[in-house]
């Protein structure tokens, strides 16, 4: 991807790739019209996208050259924040469904989907993998931060979802996008 960025076009045109050096713009055909939260694969060849559009619901992998769109096993509900594992083998996604909000892990090769943990509340959760891939850190918005301005609390979960830690509390973190 080098000097390119990808974003969803809110005018209903799907994903857009823009080369920052040349200014060239290319639309990826066959992608959801209201695409949100696209994420580059570690090798830069694929984009993961979580879409909650009726006709395009799920987690999708899209080849950067636009030749291939593939749906992965996906949870039902409103999806957000796809996050690739460092080795490109897995993707995290959060979903808000009838049974509440959960963090899910799907394999990039399409071989499986696993519910990792239940998330409190029903606001967007942003995730990141630890450098060694053993932990997932996530931020949850909080309304009771210092000085009443909100903020986020950080949590960490083992990559298999069996262990969870509350890292910071009381909305003391000003960044909802951990890394």
């Amino acid at each position: 991807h080098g000097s390119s960025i990808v974003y969803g076009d809110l005018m209903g045109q799907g994903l857009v790739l823009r080369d920052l050096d040349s200014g060239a713009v290319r639309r990826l055909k066959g992608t959801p019209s209201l695409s949100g939260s696209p994420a580059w694969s570690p090798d830069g060849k694929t984009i993961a996208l979580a879409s909650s559009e009726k006709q395009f619901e799920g987690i999708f992998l899209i080849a950067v050259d636009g030749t291939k769109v593939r749906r992965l096993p996906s949870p039902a509900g409103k999806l957000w924040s796809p996050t690739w594992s460092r080795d490109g083998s897995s993707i995290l996604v959060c979903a808000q469904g009838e049974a509440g909000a959960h963090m899910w892990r799907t394999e990039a090769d399409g071989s499986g989907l696993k519910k990792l943990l239940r998330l409190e509340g029903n606001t967007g959760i942003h995730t990141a993998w630890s450098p060694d891939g053993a932990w997932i850190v996530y931020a949850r918005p909080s309304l009771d931060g210092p000085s009443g301005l909100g903020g986020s609390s950080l949590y960490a979960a083992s990559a298999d979802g069996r262990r969870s830690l509350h890292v910071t509390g009381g909305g003391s973190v000003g960044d909802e996008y951990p890394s």
Side-chain angles (χ1 to χ4, degrees):
H1 53 260
S3 65
S4 295
I5 61 170
V6 62
Y7 56 92
D9 179 352
L10 292 178
M11 301 305 291
Q13 301 297 314
L15 286 180
V16 177
L17 282 175
R18 181 177 180 132
D19 185 296
L20 297 176
D21 290 332
S22 70
V25 174
R26 185 167 47 95
R27 297 188 185 284
L28 296 178
K29 297 181 192 280
T31 58
S33 61
L34 294 175
S35 304
S37 301
W40 288 99
S41 64
D43 67 7
K45 296 179 182 178
T46 308
I47 297 164
L49 175 73
S51 174
S52 297
E53 274 187 46
K54 293 276 188 221
Q55 72 276 18
F56 228 124
E57 187 174 43
I59 304 164
F60 293 87
L61 295 184
I62 301 141
V64 173
D65 64 7
T67 59
K68 187 176 178 185
V69 176
R70 182 170 51 106
R71 185 180 188 279
L72 294 177
S74 306
K78 180 181 178 190
L79 306 175
W80 66 90
S81 296
T83 306
W84 288 88
S85 61
R86 306 266 185 208
D87 65 3
S89 66
S90 301
I91 299 166
L92 296 175
V93 69
C94 297
Q96 174 66 43
E98 291 180 19
H102 293 86
M103 185 185 302
W104 297 78
R105 178 180 180 159
T106 188
E107 301 306 315
D109 65 6
S111 65
L113 176 68
K114 179 182 179 187
K115 185 188 305 181
L116 293 180
L117 56 123
R118 179 174 171 74
L119 303 168
E120 298 300 319
N122 46 349
T123 56
I125 304 290
H126 304 286
T127 59
W129 292 84
S130 65
D132 65 1
W135 290 90
I136 300 159
V137 63
Y138 58 101
R140 201 174 72 216
S142 175
L143 298 176
D144 61 350
S147 66
L149 297 176
S152 295
S153 293
L154 290 180
Y155 298 81
S158 59
D160 62 8
R162 292 183 186 179
R163 188 168 171 219
S164 184
L165 304 171
H166 189 183
V167 180
T168 67
S172 62
V173 177
D175 190 352
E176 293 180 13
Y177 302 91
S179 180

